[in-house]
Amino acid sequence: MAGLIPPEILDEIQTRSDIVEVISTYVPLKKAGGNSWKGCCPFHNEKTPSFHVRGDKQVFYCFGCHKGGNVFKFVMEKEGITFPEAAHLLAGRCGVGIPDNTPGADPHAARAAANTRERMYQLNEEFARFFEHELHDHPDSPAAKYLATRQLPPDVIQKFRLGAAPDGWDSGLKFGRSLGFSEQEMLQAGLLRHNEERGRIYDLFRSRLTFAIWNDAGKVVGFSARMLGSDPTVPKYVNTPETPVFKKGHILYALPFAREAMNKTAQAILCEGQLDTIALHRAGFTQAMAPQGTGFTPDQARLLRRYDVRQVLLAFDSDNAGQKAIRAALEILLPLEMEVRVIRIPGGKDPDELLRTAGPEAVKSAVTNSISWLEYLGDFFAGNYDLRTAAGTGRAVEELGGLILSVENPVLREFYIRDGAAMLHVGQDTLEAELERRTRMTRRRFTPAAPASQAQPARQDLRKETMFTLLELALSEESAARELAELLPAEEFHQGLPDQALNQVLAMAVNGEFTDAPTAVTAMLNGADPEADSRISAMLAAETGPFATPRLKKKAMQECLGNLQRLQTTRSQGEILNELRQTRDPARRMELLAELSKKK
């Protein structure tokens, strides 16, 4: 039945249904480092969390009960429903319409979801105009005066659609009603708020400077609003909450304006906020953007990759929060093989302040003189750890090792090991030992044990174990997949899911699509082979692979190729012996015996 839903519709549902967000509605998840989240498994009772979700690979896996798969699989397991039913449930959640002739389709629900999204786009666009007119019509308002202090010219204000929210509890409510929008629609779009205790509905944005927020298609989907006073009890910024069209972890502020420059330069600059982004655009760096109301996320990284961005410059603040944001972004960007650099603003200023006090040339100098992420970490370690002591150096080696381990490209990893070791004044073998230590810890912690009844057959099935290892090797890095594609005869691999997944990864590596291979493999976990689904989910969910160094990778590859050769030899011997039993021709028997002798 699932095949009757068009593949492009399923792809859109999966793209819009972030697995971390979906599972978070069922299970409390906590950040476990990098792109991994964990919580107590919803499928069996446990006190210590063993349920892991990977945002970058869009997969879940429990290392306790071994359930795993993609977002469709989770909803099927949790709700006890079929694949088509899970697809329709997720489609309704993310606002994707499914054609009426697909199984389980509710045509009214599909049309209602599409209409809701379109009404929200219209509503946000009308409020953007409302806020713009409010700013323009009141040149002496607090918002207008604030923008004057920031030295923002009218053309910039107009381009970025800055506005002012009136100082009233129901100005927006009345405006929306005048256009025919209902209170429920404005509540759902995040423009109103409901005080249940008082039974009162009021404007979310009041007496604030507003910034329109666009999605990647250039449609207004929400707002960020800055306070204009100095009341410490009032949040500095108020943002649109999550809505069917506003997913803050999927949005980069000013992306529609940055698209052209990103395509030309293959570079993106990430800032902390809207004013810093606008300042960089004014200084000529129109590839600048900002995460919206949250830290940088894997989904935002995927947006950058869509535009073939190769280099990312981080222009975050110099305070503790900014430094933490830089290191968190490194965990996401380095595995994508992006060159990451850090912009240091003189005097601890931000780009907006630097532009206002020193002009565009100072901003250009700061961008031009950005430093590599390794150099940034060297300065961070020197300022936060006592590198004169073994303990301090040990902490630095451990943190650096974790970042290098996330890099799958062997050339990049070799450079980072060499330069990182020199930076910390330790031997390269010390850093490599840290990588191997982390790998051993990960394997001990995350390798799922087979049930007792299955342990012995699993050990005996050499081919099956070899195929799983080959798949893990292929997923570990593009160069390994390309090498395996040259060495392995693809026509031999057609016996099950591991074979199919391996063929898929090798083909994508050869075609230059390797970065999308984990997602493609996740989509193949359809429940037909629960054991394979579980083991492949475990591979994708693990934070680090089993091949931390080139030596380990080469050894594993040689063992797998040797196993396949021995299996082929054994199969050939069996075929010869079978023919020997059946033939009565003396000449043919002599030929077969000669062949059998060569095989030994």
Side-chain angles (χ1 to χ4, degrees):
M1 290 179 68
L4 299 178
I5 301 177
E8 63 272 14
I9 298 295
L10 291 175
D11 288 345
E12 185 176 3
I13 294 170
Q14 189 162 8
T15 298
R16 293 191 183 182
S17 299
D18 179 74
I19 195 168
V20 176
E21 292 183 4
V22 172
I23 293 180
S24 292
T25 64
Y26 296 88
V27 183
L29 297 176
K30 293 184 177 180
K31 194 77 178 287
N35 301 317
S36 180
W37 301 75
K38 67 179 180 180
C40 289
C41 181
F43 304 118
H44 79 285
N45 294 326
E46 63 177 6
K47 294 182 179 179
T48 302
S50 60
F51 180 80
H52 285 247
V53 184
R54 289 297 299 265
D56 53 344
K57 298 176 181 176
Q58 292 293 294
V59 68
F60 77 92
Y61 184 77
C62 176
F63 293 94
C65 69
H66 312 309
K67 285 187 181 293
N70 57 22
V71 68
F72 295 112
K73 180 69 171 179
F74 177 86
V75 173
M76 290 168 63
E77 293 281 353
K78 187 62 181 156
E79 299 289 349
I81 57 181
T82 64
F83 182 91
E85 291 170 333
H88 282 87
L89 189 154
L90 288 168
R93 182 183 184 276
C94 66
V96 175
I98 296 180
D100 296 351
N101 60 345
T102 58
D106 180 347
H108 300 293
R111 282 194 292 269
N115 290 339
T116 295
R117 292 174 63 85
E118 187 56 39
R119 290 282 286 178
M120 282 195 182
Y121 289 135
Q122 295 172 7
L123 189 51
N124 281 301
E125 175 61 32
E126 293 294 347
F127 266 74
R129 294 174 183 171
F130 173 62
F131 294 143
E132 287 176 294
H133 291 153
E134 186 70 19
L135 177 65
H136 180 269
D137 295 342
H138 298 85
D140 294 327
S141 66
K145 291 179 180 179
Y146 176 81
L147 290 176
T149 65
R150 293 285 178 159
Q151 303 172 16
L152 288 176
D155 62 320
V156 172
I157 293 172
Q158 182 178 2
K159 175 183 177 181
F160 286 91
R161 305 198 68 176
L162 275 58
D167 185 13
W169 290 91
D170 59 358
S171 300
L173 173 59
K174 291 178 179 177
F175 172 74
R177 281 175 175 167
S178 72
L179 298 176
F181 293 100
S182 68
E183 289 183 3
Q184 184 57 37
E185 286 179 312
M186 288 183 276
L187 281 167
Q188 192 175 8
L191 294 162
L192 302 181
R193 185 170 286 176
H194 185 204
N195 186 321
E196 295 184 2
E197 292 183 2
R198 299 183 179 182
R200 180 183 180 187
I201 294 176
Y202 58 93
D203 292 356
L204 175 61
F205 305 113
R206 304 181 310 279
S207 190
R208 287 176 176 269
L209 173 69
T210 63
F211 299 85
I213 307 299
W214 307 269
N215 63 11
D216 55 336
K219 293 185 176 181
V220 179
V221 292
F223 300 90
S224 181
R226 190 190 193 283
M227 67 175 293
L228 297 169
S230 56
D231 187 347
T233 64
V234 176
K236 186 176 181 180
Y237 279 91
V238 173
N239 300 307
T240 296
E242 297 277 308
T243 74
V245 299
F246 182 82
K247 307 293 183 184
K248 61 184 180 182
H250 297 186
I251 291 173
L252 287 168
Y253 177 71
L255 173 59
F257 299 137
R259 187 181 292 116
E260 183 179 353
M262 280 195 297
N263 286 332
K264 287 182 179 179
T265 64
Q267 181 192 77
I269 301 176
L270 296 179
C271 314
E272 279 204 30
Q274 291 89 8
L275 288 172
D276 286 343
T277 301
I278 293 171
L280 282 163
H281 278 249
R282 293 178 63 196
F285 298 98
T286 56
Q287 66 271 43
M289 293 163 289
Q292 179 54 41
T294 184
F296 187 64
T297 68
D299 289 303
Q300 291 163 339
R302 280 192 284 272
L303 276 177
L304 298 182
R305 196 172 67 188
R306 184 187 302 172
Y307 295 101
D308 200 26
V309 168
R310 307 293 179 84
Q311 183 186 72
V312 178
L313 276 60
L314 303 176
F316 295 155
D317 291 350
S318 59
D319 57 12
N320 289 335
Q323 300 310 296
K324 185 177 180 180
I326 290 175
R327 300 198 305 283
L330 289 175
E331 294 178 351
I332 295 172
L333 293 168
L334 290 178
L336 299 179
E337 299 183 13
M338 292 186 179
E339 179 189 358
V340 186
R341 302 184 67 81
V342 178
I343 297 173
R344 295 188 294 188
I345 307 294
K349 300 176 182 177
D350 55 38
D352 176 59
E353 185 180 2
L354 184 64
L355 178 67
R356 285 186 286 112
T357 58
E361 287 302 317
V363 176
K364 181 178 180 181
S365 176
V367 173
T368 303
N369 294 312
S370 62
I371 60 175
S372 72
W373 69 271
L374 264 179
E375 186 178 347
Y376 160 78
L377 272 188
D379 293 343
F380 175 82
F381 291 153
N384 291 272
Y385 305 148
D386 188 352
L387 299 181
R388 297 170 299 178
T389 67
T393 301
R395 288 185 64 187
V397 167
E398 185 174 355
E399 186 169 338
L400 179 60
L403 288 170
I404 294 177
L405 194 59
S406 72
V407 178
E408 297 178 349
N409 185 299
V411 176
L412 291 176
R413 183 179 282 191
E414 182 178 343
F415 269 82
Y416 294 154
I417 290 174
R418 183 197 67 190
D419 294 349
M423 177 182 75
L424 296 176
H425 303 291
V426 298
Q428 291 187 38
D429 56 344
T430 300
L431 256 185
E432 290 178 348
E434 171 62 19
L435 300 188
E436 294 196 22
R437 182 187 72 84
R438 280 175 164 266
T439 299
R440 288 194 301 271
M441 289 176 61
T442 300
R443 296 298 287 175
R444 283 198 300 269
R445 182 179 176 190
F446 291 137
T447 300
S453 62
Q454 299 177 5
Q456 185 63 27
R459 286 195 293 270
Q460 293 175 346
D461 193 345
L462 179 61
R463 185 187 184 283
K464 180 173 71 174
E465 296 306 312
T466 297
M467 294 309 299
F468 277 119
T469 301
L470 284 171
L471 177 59
E472 200 158 9
L473 275 165
L475 286 167
S476 67
E477 66 182 24
E478 185 171 6
S479 62
R482 285 180 172 273
E483 185 174 354
L484 287 173
E486 294 179 1
L487 295 173
L488 298 175
E491 63 272 11
E492 290 190 9
F493 304 133
H494 48 74
Q495 295 187 21
L497 180 58
D499 295 47
Q500 297 165 13
L502 178 63
N503 282 334
Q504 179 72 29
V505 175
L506 300 188
M508 294 184 79
V510 170
N511 293 330
E513 301 170 342
F514 178 79
T515 52
D516 294 323
T519 303
V521 172
T522 299
M524 299 173 72
L525 308 181
N526 57 14
D529 185 344
E531 181 194 358
D533 281 4
S534 176
R535 294 186 63 172
I536 294 172
S537 296
M539 290 180 201
L540 296 169
E543 295 179 25
T544 55
F547 316 110
T549 64
R551 181 176 62 82
L552 290 175
K553 193 166 297 184
K554 183 177 181 181
K555 180 181 178 183
M557 193 174 294
Q558 290 174 340
E559 288 178 354
C560 286
L561 294 173
N563 289 343
L564 291 178
Q565 181 62 47
R566 285 190 290 275
L567 287 166
Q568 176 61 37
T569 299
T570 301
R571 185 164 57 250
S572 298
Q573 289 174 336
E575 292 171 353
I576 294 172
L577 288 171
N578 186 54
E579 187 175 350
L580 268 172
R581 294 188 190 99
Q582 298 179 18
T583 186
R584 294 288 182 264
D585 183 354
R588 178 57 182 159
R589 290 179 64 84
M590 291 297 295
E591 291 177 0
L592 291 172
L593 287 171
E595 287 184 38
L596 186 62
S597 177
K598 294 178 182 178
K599 296 290 183 183
K600 294 182 178 179

